């Protein structure tokens, strides 16, 4: 039997307890991933800007699953804050197996000619530059892992553009390109790099996009069954639990009632 095969079998048998670093864990997909991984007894580093939510979540996961959770409070747009937070991780948290680059947002929904420049900057700085800052800082810590893996949360918006999606779509096209580029550059380090690209999912995403207009947000999901955060957490869990020699490069997940951005089977 070849060494790689033997190693696979050993790792699979051990049902490894991994350390999982999740950005944007205060809501939506990131929070659902935290719950899923805590349930499966992994160690978690949860990050986000809303420290009150992080504390409540860590306590909740401890009570429910006895989960070992560290919380880090930073804005992914702040490159120094990202670097300092990760450099100053306690020694026992410096072996990271899985990075889930999830923090992100859409801000606004306007034709590009009417676009708000602050919105553009928020999306590019968070979805693209934030992902880069976190990845660069976490990379050396992944090298100590026996099963290093980066999962980028892209979007169907990174596959096809839609009306008024312009800059958000561009930022997610960038995530798609960066995922492919990372996979090539990190190949020789044995790091798996995957992208999960969801369609419409009911989280706080649309509340953020429409800046707290709850009616506009609810309207997005009217008349069909959107994805739920747990659906994406289940996919992330599956992608990160495959044998060492198997990588899912790209997983596009849509609600059954959505064919592509803008094409829905709505029962209104
Ligand atoms: P939510 O708004 O529910 O969650 C977004 C998370 O990102 C929050 O935890 C938020 O934390 C964090 N975040 C946002 N900006 C920053 C920042 N500057 N620094 C640190 N953390 C930040 O949305 P989703 O769960 O839906 O979104 C998660 C990812 O999935 C995003 O990348 C989004 O683009 C993508 N996506 C969403 C889809 C959907 O339809 N919902 C479909 C396809 C992809 P906090 O505010 O506390 O900092
Ligand atoms: C979020 C999904 O279709 O609103 O990335 O862009 S969509």
């Amino acid at each position: 039997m070849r060494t790689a095969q033997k190693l696979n079998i050993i790792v699979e048998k051990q049902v490894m307890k991994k350390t999982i670093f999740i950005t944007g864990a205060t809501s939506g997909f990131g929070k659902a991933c935290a719950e899923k991984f805590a349930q499966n007894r992994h160690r978690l580093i949860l990050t986000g800007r809303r420290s009150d939510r992080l504390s409540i979540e860590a306590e909740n996961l401890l009570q429910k699953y006895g989960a070992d959770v560290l919380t880090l409070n930073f804005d992914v747009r702040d490159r120094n804050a990202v670097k300092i937070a990760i450099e100053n991780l306690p020694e026992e948290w410096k072996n990271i197996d899985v990075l889930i680059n999830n923090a992100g947002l859409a801000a606004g929904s306007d034709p590009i000619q009417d676009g708000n420049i602050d919105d553009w900057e928020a999306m590019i700085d968070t979805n693209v530059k934030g992902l880069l800052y976190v990845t660069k800082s976490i990379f050396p810590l992944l090298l100590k892992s026996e099963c290093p893996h980066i999962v980028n949360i892209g979007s169907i918006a990174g596959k096809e553009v839609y009306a008024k999606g312009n800059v958000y779509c561009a930022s997610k096209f960038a995530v798609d390109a960066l995922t492919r580029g990372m996979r090539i550059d990190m190949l020789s380090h044995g790091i798996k790099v995957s992208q999960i690209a969801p369609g419409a999912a009911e989280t706080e995403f649309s509340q953020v996009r429409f800046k707290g207009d709850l009616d506009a947000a609810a309207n997005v999901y009217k008349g069909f069954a959107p994805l739920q955060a747990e659906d994406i957490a289940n996919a992330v869990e599956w992608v990160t639990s495959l044998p060492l020699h198997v990588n899912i490069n790209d997983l596009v997940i849509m609600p059954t009632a959505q064919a592509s951005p803008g094409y829905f089977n709505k029962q209104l």
Side-chain angles (χ1 to χ4, degrees):
M1 197 183 290
R2 285 189 300 150
T3 319
Q5 275 175 309
K6 277 190 200 155
L7 194 61
N8 261 347
I9 290 163
I10 293 165
V11 170
E12 282 160 36
K13 274 190 182 158
Q14 282 175 344
V15 186
M16 285 183 56
K17 185 172 180 174
K18 298 178 186 169
T19 300
I20 314 225
F21 189 106
I22 307 176
T23 66
T26 57
S27 168
F29 301 161
K31 187 173 181 204
C33 287
E35 176 101 21
K36 189 87 208 162
F37 284 117
Q39 225 169 344
N40 293 339
R41 309 259 171 247
H42 296 295
R43 302 170 82 223
L44 297 172
I45 303 176
L46 304 182
T47 80
R49 290 166 302 179
R50 286 171 286 184
S51 56
D52 50 339
R53 287 198 184 195
L54 288 173
S55 307
I56 293 167
E57 210 175 322
E59 181 59 28
N60 179 38
L61 296 176
L62 174 67
Q63 294 301 331
K64 265 170 103 173
Y65 309 110
D68 202 1
V69 180
L70 180 78
T71 61
L72 293 180
N73 182 214
F74 58 80
D75 186 323
V76 296
R77 293 172 295 182
D78 182 340
R79 63 197 276 190
N80 284 324
V82 170
K83 190 166 177 281
I84 288 166
I86 295 171
E87 274 177 4
N88 289 320
L89 277 169
E91 274 316 305
E92 67 275 20
W93 286 96
K94 278 190 168 161
N95 288 3
I96 291 170
D97 301 296
V98 180
L99 164 62
I100 302 173
N101 274 319
N102 164 74
L105 82 165
S109 173
D110 303 300
I112 199 155
Q113 59 276 21
D114 300 331
N116 175 315
I117 294 176
D118 290 333
D119 286 348
W120 295 352
E121 295 199 338
M123 290 186 276
I124 292 167
D125 290 351
T126 309
N127 302 353
V128 184
K129 291 163 72 180
L131 179 146
L132 286 168
Y133 300 153
V134 173
T135 305
K136 187 164 170 58
S137 288
I138 294 287
F139 173 77
L141 308 183
L142 285 172
L143 296 178
K144 302 180 200 160
S145 170
E146 286 178 359
C147 51
H149 198 161
I150 297 175
V151 180
N152 292 331
I153 304 299
S155 169
I156 184 63
K159 304 287 182 185
E160 294 169 65
V161 291
Y162 56 86
K164 302 180 185 176
N166 45 67
V167 176
Y168 178 65
C169 294
S171 74
K172 290 298 185 180
F173 269 73
V175 172
D176 188 271
L178 288 171
T179 304
R180 292 191 247 169
M182 281 180 198
R183 193 156 47 238
I184 296 167
D185 291 345
M186 296 180 183
L187 184 62
S188 61
H189 295 282
I191 300 178
K192 292 189 190 187
V193 183
S194 306
Q195 173 175 249
I196 293 185
E202 193 167 15
T203 59
E204 292 179 12
F205 177 83
S206 291
Q207 295 174 29
V208 172
R209 173 171 241 172
F210 294 111
K211 303 176 181 175
D213 181 340
L214 298 184
D215 291 337
N219 202 34
V220 173
Y221 309 108
K222 253 193 204 134
F224 75 106
L227 296 171
Q228 299 298 314
E230 294 68 29
D231 299 319
I232 302 309
N234 286 338
V236 173
E237 202 268 334
W238 175 68
V239 163
T240 54
S241 62
L242 293 170
L244 273 182
H245 68 286
V246 181
N247 183 46
I248 301 299
N249 287 0
D250 200 6
L251 191 56
V252 179
I253 308 175
M254 310 280 281
T256 306
Q258 183 181 18
S260 72
Y263 286 89
F264 290 90
N265 180 21
K266 291 195 177 186
Q267 310 293 321
L268 292 170

